[in-house]
Amino acid sequence: MLYISLRQYEYVCAIGRHGSLSAAAQHLNVSQPALSNALTRVEEQLGYPLFARRRGAAMALTPQGRSFIEEAESLLASAARLENAAESGAGKARLRLGCFVDLAPFLLARALRQLRAEMPDVAVSYRVDSFEGLISGLIDGRIDLALTYGLSMDATFTRHTLFTSSPRALLSPDHPLATNSQVSLQDLAAHPLILSEEGLSAQHVLGLFRQIGESPTVAHRAASLEIQRSLAAHNEGVAISYANPPAQVSYDGMPLLTLPVTDPFAAEPVVLARHGTGPTDAQIAAAERALKGLVT
């Protein structure tokens, strides 16, 4: 008999990922008491604590808790695969691909074509999301593989670098730096920035400036790359982007310059990632082989 439900496994794993009942409750859109009750029941059933509770501090996993959550996440991923197989027909294999939102216009269609050509018997679906959404999806098994940047991925992820992307500065032809053929972060530090609303993306760009001891003014936080491009074209500041659409105009037809950023440490790998570091099943391994040659 099973004494712990899949829902309780999901709740406990969410607490482990987010470090607190409040953050996990917000992520799952459930009440804190529901999470607290689930955790209490699971710990009572197991006979040992999963978290060390200290007043005023995050809920830290115990060694037993860490081992339990690793196994629970694997169980949830297997359950998700079984559920998806049932939805798509008996015995129908499925592969779920994730792609970071700014990379999707460049890589997603090519990736789908490659997978369907090399794995014709597998039903391939996809999800375009933020960094946080992709990481969460990989951890809880809603995504099998993701095409993204390597930001914030720890040692529990397997990553294969597809290529390295260097950032470019997006600015108006009327900008003071427009006569340059390239720019450094130091050149850009004195000018207002147009950042992404995506948290990890914005943190990464600001982190680049911190590495040179600068803290530039943030003029805007844009909801998409195209909004960043439009704001830059209208001389609202400088945007820094790793994605570089070939069009030299914004959506509203304004001319736009894209200048290489010369600082070598600013380059960032584009990776194919999955959660876990050990051997994977044959289907995901075949998908990895197919996608490793995506940009060669």
Side-chain angles (χ1 to χ4, degrees):
M1 182 180 293
L2 296 176
Y3 294 96
I4 300 175
S5 70
L6 287 177
R7 181 66 66 192
Q8 289 170 329
Y9 279 118
E10 181 184 13
Y11 285 0
V12 172
C13 288
I15 298 168
R17 287 198 302 273
H18 295 280
S20 72
L21 289 170
S22 60
Q26 183 176 6
H27 175 75
L28 294 172
N29 196 28
V30 298
S31 68
Q32 288 190 46
L35 288 182
S36 180
N37 289 338
L39 176 58
T40 298
R41 291 183 180 182
V42 170
E43 289 182 327
E44 287 176 350
Q45 179 62 40
L46 295 173
Y48 56 79
L50 298 175
F51 296 90
R53 298 163 174 82
R54 296 186 295 274
R55 185 178 297 276
M59 297 178 66
L61 283 165
T62 64
Q64 290 171 307
R66 188 173 302 280
S67 176
F68 174 85
I69 284 182
E70 288 177 357
E71 294 293 333
E73 287 178 338
S74 176
L75 174 64
L76 289 171
S78 296
R81 282 194 289 270
L82 286 173
E83 183 178 283
N84 285 329
E87 290 174 354
S88 60
K92 181 68 173 179
R94 288 180 62 89
L95 180 78
R96 296 153 303 170
L97 179 67
C99 192
F100 178 58
V101 59
D102 284 359
L103 288 171
F106 301 92
L107 294 182
L108 180 59
R110 292 160 61 189
L112 294 175
R113 183 174 59 187
Q114 187 94 348
L115 288 170
R116 289 166 181 161
E118 299 199 24
M119 305 174 69
D121 296 328
V122 175
V124 180
S125 60
Y126 67 88
R127 171 179 170 182
V128 175
D129 212 332
S130 64
F131 289 121
E132 289 94 339
L134 293 177
I135 290 170
S136 174
L138 287 168
I139 289 173
D140 64 23
R142 288 175 289 121
I143 299 172
D144 298 309
L145 292 168
L147 295 164
T148 183
Y149 296 101
L151 301 180
S152 81
M153 289 189 180
D154 59 24
T156 63
F157 291 86
T158 295
R159 288 164 288 183
H160 302 286
T161 297
L162 300 178
F163 59 94
T164 299
S165 179
S166 294
R168 300 181 74 88
L170 313 180
L171 44 85
S172 164
D174 297 326
H175 193 277
L177 296 175
T179 56
N180 294 23
S181 61
Q182 57 187 23
V183 290
S184 68
L185 291 168
Q186 194 67 57
D187 295 329
L188 299 172
H191 300 276
L193 285 183
I194 303 166
L195 295 180
S196 170
E197 278 185 0
E198 210 286 332
L200 285 176
S201 177
Q203 291 171 27
H204 174 69
V205 171
L206 292 174
L208 295 177
F209 285 99
R210 284 196 295 271
Q211 290 188 56
I212 62 169
E214 296 288 350
S215 181
T217 301
V218 177
H220 298 279
R221 292 182 181 267
S224 71
L225 173 60
E226 280 305 327
I227 295 175
Q228 283 184 286
R229 284 165 52 82
S230 179
L231 289 167
H234 283 269
N235 212 9
E236 286 288 314
V238 176
I240 296 177
S241 174
Y242 286 83
N244 184 32
Q248 295 301 303
V249 294
S250 61
Y251 266 13
D252 58 351
M254 294 292 290
L256 182 68
L257 298 180
T258 61
L259 303 182
V261 176
T262 57
D263 304 75
F265 66 86
E268 187 68 26
V270 173
V271 301
L272 175 65
R274 62 177 170 86
H275 189 235
T277 56
T280 187
D281 62 55
Q283 178 176 293
I284 294 178
E288 285 180 327
R289 289 192 296 272
L291 292 176
K292 284 179 189 177
L294 189 62
V295 294
T296 57

